[in-house]
Amino acid sequence: FFPGFTLVELMVVIAIIGLLTAAGTMIVTQVRSRARDAKRTANIDQLMKALDLYNNQTGAYPVAAAPLCIVGNDSVSTALKNANLIADDFKDPIFTDSNQCYRYTSDASGTTFALRYFLESAAVGTPGYHTVP
């Protein structure tokens, strides 16, 4: 005769393990989301610095007739690469649609521009804007 666990005790242990697993998965997901948001913020900061350097070299920002996604083969990325201001493609870590990519717009003369990006940890997209007086 071996003393054992009752069915109720086993079910309680399994339920506790399930709750701990669910909590751990949720925490890992949040950490990954925050890491991607940090990558987005760093990318936008680097793009803004490269755009300012481009303006210093050429006297204007790249002109985009309509909002465009910065994905590496667009006109803004090409202009920055040709000026040797960036070497890497700045793409969003997971967002690929045109509503949540890094969106660039400028006025017709290239005196101002705006960059917009979205964070996963925020319910609403956080825009990043830069204008030149």
Side-chain angles (χ1 to χ4, degrees), residues 4-86:
F5 298 107
T6 65
L7 182 60
V8 172
E9 291 171 331
L10 289 174
M11 290 179 66
V12 168
V13 168
I14 291 171
I16 291 171
I17 291 172
L19 287 173
L20 291 173
T21 302
T25 302
M26 190 170 66
I27 290 170
V28 168
T29 302
Q30 289 176 351
V31 168
R32 287 182 180 166
S33 172
R34 288 184 188 139
R36 287 188 297 266
D37 283 349
K39 173 81 170 155
R40 287 181 183 97
T41 303
N43 282 348
I44 292 297
D45 185 48
Q46 289 180 0
L47 279 170
M48 288 177 71
K49 288 176 183 174
L51 287 163
D52 283 337
L53 289 171
Y54 184 86
N55 182 39
N56 288 341
Q57 288 179 4
T58 64
Y61 294 105
V63 176
L68 61 87
C69 286
I70 296 180
V71 293
N73 59 356
D74 56 272
S75 61
V76 174
S77 297
T78 303
L80 294 175
K81 286 178 186 176
N82 289 341
N84 293 320
L85 297 172
I86 61 171

Side-chain angles (χ1 to χ4, degrees), residues 70-110:
I70 296 180
V71 293
N73 59 356
D74 56 272
S75 61
V76 174
S77 297
T78 303
L80 294 175
K81 286 178 186 176
N82 289 341
N84 293 320
L85 297 172
I86 61 171
D88 297 329
D89 292 339
F90 291 97
K91 297 181 192 176
D92 189 275
I94 62 169
F95 295 142
T96 57
D97 66 19
S98 61
N99 293 323
Q100 295 178 315
C101 62
Y102 300 152
R103 286 198 339 206
Y104 176 88
T105 55
S106 72
D107 62 353
S109 62

